[in-house]
Structure formats: C-alpha cells, structure tokens
Amino acid sequence: IVAILGPNGAGKSTAMKAMLGLLSLKSGSVSIDGNDISSLSPQDRVKRGISFVPQTRNVFTGLTVRENLEMGAFLRNEDLNKVIDEIYELFPILSEKKSQFVGELSGGQRQQVALGRALMTKPSVLMLDEPTAGVSPKVMDDLFSRIIQVGKTGVGILMVEQNAKQALAIADRGYVMVNGENRMEGSGKDLLNNPNVRKSFLGG
C-alpha cells in the first residue's frame, strides 16, 4: 500500500490521473510490471492491470449493486459469477444489498461498491482517489480495514488520502507532494514519525 499526501491543491489527484493516461505527462514515464505504458490509452492501461476509483461519481446510482459490479467487468469474457462471489467475500454487505439500487446505499456502502467494481477487472494496481472523503470516522476505519484486505490479496494499492495519519498507519510507503513535486518519501512508519510531516499534516 502506497499513500500520497500533500496540501490541498498540490496536484496529488492530477498525478494519479496522469498515471492512468487521463492527462499527458510533461516528463518521466509510467511502467507496470516492468513495461512502459506511457504511450497507451487509458483503456489499454486498464487492460494492462491498472484500475482507478475516482473520488466522486464512482458508482452508477440508478443500477443495483450487482449491476454495478457487472459494469466493472466490461473487459472480461469469462463467467463473472466466480469473480463476483470473490467481491462478495471481501465485502459481505454487497452480497446482502446485491439487488438494491446503489443510490439507496450509505456513503460507506457506495465506496465498497466502487472498490468492488474496480476489482472486477482483476487489476494488479488499484488507484484510489480520497477513498474516505466525506464519511464518518467509524465508516472510515471500516474502509481502511477493507483496503488492507484488498492489499492482502496481492493487489498493489496507490491512494491519495486526506486522512494522513490513518493512511500512513496502513501504508508500506508514503510520498509527500508539494506543488506537484515529490518533496519527501519513506516508509509509512518513518513518515508518521517525521517531525516535519507531523507538523504539516498530523497536527503536531
């Protein structure tokens, strides 16, 4: 799990969109599994193993939970039932709500739908843009627990997160971006204990 931190407007989400191919790179390259994918379209990057959950508009509220999951599998040709069952195992509430319209769910449940839909492509890298934005502390803790579970399945997770302390607590590695530039990096634990990081993002 990799966490990207930084002040508001620091270009954290912009960097993530550039990695997905939604924005052009000014310099550098994007590689996955050792292969340079910088010239590929967003669709082809998804085929190579990248999946993205945006902060907003990340679910289809007029569709059921199961229909949302099926929409996430548009690149898959095999029987989806096995994959959907794996998603239900990771997120049991989705199994309970599978026939319910997503627009009727709570914010935390919608985020689980968004995560589940992104995992339907069987990605090797999952990018999350502010996954806990706007949810209660209790729901936030549950979502972080779910993210840890996803990481244990072997999926690499890259997340931009406003809740710096909680993000670094579960992150294997962290990066601090200021004005679109990487200013600091290290293990989640090291950054959590770094005085400069604590002063700037953790309240001292």
Side-chain angles (χ1 to χ4, degrees):
I1 298 177
V2 175
I4 301 177
L5 312 175
N8 292 334
K12 306 182 298 296
S13 298
T14 299
M16 190 171 284
K17 290 176 181 177
M19 284 183 265
L20 188 62
L22 297 175
L23 297 173
S24 299
L25 293 175
K26 291 184 177 180
S27 62
S29 62
V30 179
S31 297
I32 186 169
D33 296 327
N35 299 308
D36 191 331
I37 61 171
S38 305
S39 63
L40 298 183
S41 67
Q43 294 89 337
D44 286 334
R45 296 187 195 205
V46 171
K47 291 178 182 179
R48 290 294 183 93
I50 293 180
S51 196
F52 176 54
V53 179
Q55 180 179 351
T56 59
R57 299 181 182 178
N58 53 22
V59 292
F60 299 100
T61 56
L63 301 179
T64 66
V65 169
R66 183 181 172 92
E67 287 169 342
N68 266 266
L69 296 181
E70 291 173 347
M71 288 293 289
F74 65 96
L75 293 177
R76 303 183 67 83
N77 298 316
E78 68 271 28
D79 178 26
L80 299 182
N81 289 323
K82 181 181 178 182
V83 185
I84 289 177
D85 285 343
E86 292 174 356
I87 301 301
Y88 287 159
E89 188 174 343
L90 271 173
F91 308 109
I93 191 64
L94 301 189
S95 180
E96 296 177 25
K97 305 281 187 178
K98 59 186 175 184
S99 299
Q100 193 166 337
F101 289 111
V102 171
E104 300 172 352
L105 302 182
S106 68
Q109 291 168 351
R110 289 190 192 191
Q111 281 296 80
Q112 291 190 46
V113 173
L115 287 170
R117 187 165 60 84
L119 291 171
M120 287 296 294
T121 60
K122 289 284 190 177
S124 55
V125 177
L126 177 63
M127 300 196 302
L128 308 175
D129 187 0
E130 302 283 8
T132 68
V135 302
S136 68
K138 181 179 179 180
V139 172
M140 180 182 68
D141 289 342
D142 182 62
L143 283 172
F144 276 127
S145 295
R146 302 298 176 188
I147 291 170
I148 291 172
Q149 280 184 276
V150 172
K152 289 180 178 178
T153 67
V155 177
I157 296 174
L158 176 65
M159 64 177 175
V160 167
E161 179 53 53
Q162 61 180 348
N163 296 294
K165 184 175 181 179
Q166 292 86 345
L168 290 176
I170 70 169
D172 300 294
R173 192 155 190 82
Y175 294 86
V176 177
M177 295 188 68
V178 179
N179 296 324
E181 295 183 358
N182 180 35
R183 295 289 179 85
M184 200 177 303
E185 63 182 85
S187 69
K189 182 179 179 180
D190 287 345
L191 290 179
L192 196 58
N193 294 321
N194 185 295
N196 293 327
V197 174
R198 294 186 67 86
K199 181 179 179 180
S200 299
F201 304 108
L202 307 179

